[in-house]
Amino acid sequence: MTRISTPFNAKTTAAEILADVDLTGRRIIVTGGASGIGLETVRALRGAGAEVTVATRNPAGGERPLDLSDLGSVRAFVADWTGPVHAIVANAGIMAVPTRQVAANGWELQLATNFLGHFALITGLHDNLRQAGDARVVTVSSGAHLRAPFDFDDPHFERRPYDRWAAYGQSKTADVLLAVGVGRRWAADGVTANSLNPGYIHTNLQRHLDDDTRRAFGSMDDEGNLLTPDYYKTPEQGAATSVLLAASPLLDGVTGRYFSDNQEEEAVPGGPEVPGGVAHWAVDPAAADRLWDYALKATLN
Ligand SMILES: NC(=O)c1ccc[n+]([C@@H]2O[C@H](COP(=O)([O-])OP(=O)(O)OC[C@H]3O[C@@H](n4cnc5c(N)ncnc54)[C@H](OP(=O)(O)O)[C@@H]3O)[C@@H](O)[C@H]2O)c1
């Protein structure tokens, strides 16, 4: 299978991706669209004419309430939605929560927020995606998915010791598998789905990181000053791959793939030291099907 490449690179901004694209009439949902990469995703999509709904825990103005860790909130959002949706950008997320926290129904919080809530949202809006005729689903994953496959035996860390990075990595593997799963199921409805790693961007996501972890990432010096290494992106650059997948004609008909820096990544063996690519375990069709069945059962209760 030929890997998809585009004329863009790591430093291309979201607005540049959509420079010649007219999104008038297209209705797009961006979760976590009130800050960080999501905010820049919303700005670029609106700049190209799309009607964008920002789904957020703390709505202001025309934003819509959505708490992804609360199935009741996800169901209320779905019930309120009428008409087609042309794209869902599953962007909201939390990272490296230091101690095991659980949502009200007992789900580990990173898995609940980053994956299970998005699964319920996307499957809840299946009919609305179908109505669009050519809808796209975009899941914002992370290079951290290379740290952990999905643990079907103990996804909520009930029996194994909690590890903040294993929990985040697992949830981000699940996001890649979700795009693979949508791609495998909804092609006949005209729905395509792809996932991405946005790169390194200073945002609120790093709120749980201690100074030693920031130093290990190269984003803090010994005196505690925040650093921005060359490989970091601005939020405008960090949002580029999201809008490429959500709205660029270059991605017409492409489904089930994983991108970084606006290019499709190659499949590699995963592992904590692996610097890039997409882990085999995250694009494995059998794992995608197994995860779909697991999530379907979990979100029915
Ligand atoms: N920044 C990076 O370097 C980086 C790298 C790789 C991947 N990513 C991914 O990029 C995505 C966007 O993150 P970001 O860097 O832009 O961080 P961010 O500014 O913290 O944005 C994350 C968004 O998710 C929302 N959110 C958190 N929990 C939620 C919940 N239960 N229900 C609904 N919304 C919730 C947050 O809303 P609140 O304001 O209410 O908290 C926030 O708007 C995430 O999926 C992240 O994993 C980021």
Side-chain angles (χ1 to χ4, degrees):
M1 206 161 54
T2 316
R3 268 197 282 154
I4 310 283
S5 63
T6 77
F8 306 118
N9 59 43
K11 301 294 182 185
T12 305
T13 64
E16 287 165 350
I17 298 277
L18 297 179
D20 301 317
V21 179
D22 180 4
L23 299 177
T24 307
R26 298 196 65 88
R27 305 174 77 212
I28 302 178
I29 298 167
V30 180
T31 68
S35 75
I37 300 166
L39 179 61
E40 294 307 327
T41 302
V42 171
R43 282 196 180 126
L45 293 169
R46 283 188 178 148
E51 181 194 316
V52 182
T53 298
V54 173
T56 171
R57 280 187 291 190
N58 300 302
E63 297 172 350
R64 300 268 287 265
L66 176 69
D67 182 343
L68 288 157
S69 67
D70 173 358
L71 265 187
S73 170
V74 177
R75 288 184 183 133
F77 184 97
V78 167
D80 279 353
W81 189 271
T82 52
V85 56
H86 297 87
I88 299 174
V89 184
N91 162 84
I94 51 174
M95 179 178 78
V97 178
T99 56
R100 181 176 180 270
Q101 291 185 32
V102 291
N105 59 5
W107 291 343
E108 187 280 318
L109 198 60
Q110 295 188 73
L111 191 64
T113 306
N114 300 353
F115 169 63
L116 284 164
H118 280 129
F119 179 88
L121 178 73
I122 290 163
T123 51
L125 292 172
H126 180 192
D127 280 346
N128 309 82
L129 289 161
R130 186 180 9 224
Q131 283 173 39
D134 60 351
R136 296 186 184 188
V137 170
V138 177
T139 59
V140 180
S141 178
S142 165
H145 86 273
L146 289 157
R147 288 171 176 260
F150 193 86
D151 187 334
F152 287 97
D153 294 329
D154 190 14
H156 297 290
F157 292 83
E158 290 163 318
R159 291 177 296 282
R160 56 184 168 142
Y162 177 75
D163 177 294
R164 60 187 174 151
W165 288 113
Y168 182 64
Q170 167 184 257
S171 74
K172 290 294 163 179
T173 283
D175 284 335
V176 182
L177 288 168
L178 173 54
V180 174
V182 170
R184 284 168 65 72
R185 275 164 187 74
W186 297 351
D189 301 324
V191 183
T192 56
N194 294 285
S195 60
L196 70 119
N197 165 27
Y200 291 94
I201 305 103
H202 286 302
T203 64
N204 293 336
L205 190 74
Q206 293 91 23
R207 60 165 74 95
H208 295 302
L209 299 190
D210 52 62
D211 290 358
D212 283 345
T213 307
R214 287 178 190 269
R215 286 192 189 99
F217 280 177
S219 64
M220 184 174 275
D221 68 14
D222 289 341
E223 280 73 49
N225 302 307
L226 209 57
L227 302 174
T228 304
D230 281 350
Y231 55 87
Y232 267 59
K233 299 181 184 183
T234 64
E236 292 87 344
Q237 293 163 342
T241 312
S242 294
V243 304
L244 177 85
L245 302 188
S248 169
L250 294 174
L251 268 287
D252 279 348
V254 173
T255 198
R257 306 201 189 199
Y258 172 91
F259 292 74
S260 189
D261 297 341
N262 299 303
Q263 314 294 333
E264 186 183 356
E265 286 276 20
E266 68 174 329
V268 298
E273 308 303 328
V274 178
V278 61
H280 289 301
W281 63 56
V283 287
D284 173 16
D289 288 349
R290 191 175 175 196
L291 183 64
W292 190 280
D293 290 345
Y294 163 76
L296 209 53
K297 279 196 199 106
T299 55
L300 279 178
N301 297 319

